[in-house]
Amino acid sequence: MSTLAISVIVFVCVLGGALLGMYLTRLLPQHQLSGDAKDVIKVSMAMVATLAALVLGLMTASAKSSLDDKESKLRDIAAQIILLDRTMALYGAETREHRDLFKRLVAARVNQIWPEENAVGVAPEVIGSDTGIGLLQQKILALSPQNDAQRWFQSTALQISRDIAAAQWSTFQQVGSRIHWPFLVIVVFWLTVVFASFGLFAPQNPVTVSALCVAALAVAGAIYLILSMDQPYGGLIKISSAPARAALDQLGR
C-alpha cells in the first residue's frame, strides 16, 4: 500500500472519530455528560494524547535516523565506486574492459534506483542484486599480474569490490519499512479516540468541523512524512542521486 493511501486512511479514521463523537453527543443522555464526567474524560484523553504525541515523536526520530543512515551509506558507496575504478586504472591498460563493464553496471544501478531521472546511455547486461559485482570480481580474478604492484592493485580491487557488494546487500535489506504496522495501527487508534473526545464536547457548527478537519489533516500529514522518510527511494522525500551520479561521471577517466 502506498504512503499516500495510508495517509488518506489515517485522515478518514481520525476525522471519522471526531464525527462519531459529535454523533454520540446526540445519543447519550445529558446526565452522562455532566461536569464530573467531562473532567474524567478530559483527563483520560489527555493521557492518551500524551502517549500518542510521545510515540509520534519517537517514530519521527526513528524515520529521520533511517533517512540519514541511508544517505550516509550512499555517499560511502559512491566513494568506494570511484576508488575501485581508480585502482583498476592503476593496474594497467588490461583493465579497460573491466572499467567499462563497471561503469555500465553502476549506470544500470543508478537508473534502477532513480528511474524517473532516466540516465542516458544505460545498457545493463545484469541488474541483479549482486550478480553484476560478482561478474566483475570474476574478471578481476582472471587477470594475470606481472609484478608486485599489479598483484597489490588486484588484491585491493577485490577487497573494494567485496566492500561494495556488502554495502549493496546492506542497502537491499533496508528497503523494507522499519516501522512495525501493529505499532502504527495502535497509534492511529489512540488518535481516533482522542479526536472522538474532541467531537464529543465540541459545538456542532461549520467552524468547529473545519478546525477538526485541519487537525486531522495535520495528523495525516505527520504520518505521511514519517512513512516517506522511512522509505526515501520514492515519493515526496527522496535520497538525492547526486553522490551516485557524481561518482558515475568520474568513472572511466
Side-chain angles (χ1 to χ4, degrees):
M1 187 178 297
S2 68
T3 300
L4 182 59
I6 295 172
S7 301
V8 171
I9 292 174
V10 171
F11 174 77
V12 171
C13 290
V14 174
L15 184 60
L19 297 178
L20 177 61
M22 289 183 173
Y23 178 72
L24 290 177
T25 303
R26 300 178 180 179
L27 298 181
L28 294 175
Q30 289 302 313
H31 69 273
Q32 293 188 12
L33 297 177
S34 62
D36 292 339
K38 288 183 179 180
D39 291 339
V40 172
I41 294 174
K42 288 179 179 178
V43 171
S44 300
M45 291 302 102
M47 182 187 68
V48 176
T50 301
L51 287 173
L54 178 61
V55 172
L56 279 176
L58 292 175
M59 291 173 64
T60 302
S62 176
K64 183 63 170 63
S65 175
S66 174
L67 175 64
D68 293 340
D69 183 53
K70 290 171 182 175
E71 286 183 334
S72 176
K73 286 187 176 180
L74 178 61
R75 289 192 293 268
D76 291 342
I77 293 175
Q80 290 176 334
I81 286 172
I82 297 175
L83 184 58
L84 177 56
D85 181 70
R86 293 293 182 267
T87 302
M88 289 191 293
L90 291 172
Y91 180 94
E94 301 93 327
T95 60
R96 169 54 61 183
E97 180 184 348
H98 304 65
R99 296 176 68 195
D100 290 342
L101 171 63
F102 185 48
K103 185 172 183 178
R104 291 196 297 272
L105 291 172
V106 173
R109 180 62 64 188
V110 171
N111 191 58
Q112 186 182 37
I113 298 176
W114 295 278
E116 69 281 356
E117 297 183 12
N118 192 21
V120 179
V122 176
E125 291 82 8
V126 182
I127 314 182
S129 57
D130 68 339
T131 308
I133 197 70
L135 177 61
L136 180 63
Q137 287 176 327
Q138 291 176 4
K139 288 184 173 294
I140 295 175
L141 279 171
L143 291 171
S144 300
Q146 302 300 316
N147 51 55
D148 290 341
Q150 287 189 336
R151 278 189 286 272
W152 186 86
F153 286 127
Q154 182 189 40
S155 175
T156 303
L158 287 171
Q159 180 60 50
I160 298 172
S161 67
R162 283 195 295 268
D163 293 341
I164 292 176
Q168 214 173 25
W169 274 110
S170 177
T171 302
F172 174 76
Q173 290 175 349
Q174 291 184 347
V175 171
S177 176
R178 296 175 61 181
I179 297 176
H180 299 287
W181 290 109
F183 199 63
L184 180 60
V185 170
I186 291 173
V187 172
V188 174
F189 172 73
W190 288 347
L191 292 169
T192 302
V193 171
V194 171
F195 270 72
S197 69
F198 293 162
L200 195 62
F201 303 121
Q204 298 185 12
N205 56 61
V207 175
T208 303
V209 174
S210 299
L212 290 173
C213 286
V214 172
L217 186 62
V219 170
I223 298 297
Y224 179 80
L225 290 177
I226 290 171
L227 295 176
S228 295
M229 286 191 293
D230 189 55
Q231 289 297 310
Y233 295 108
L236 180 64
I237 300 177
K238 291 188 293 186
I239 293 177
S240 173
S241 65
R245 293 197 178 278
L248 181 60
D249 290 339
Q250 296 297 319
L251 299 184
R253 294 188 178 182

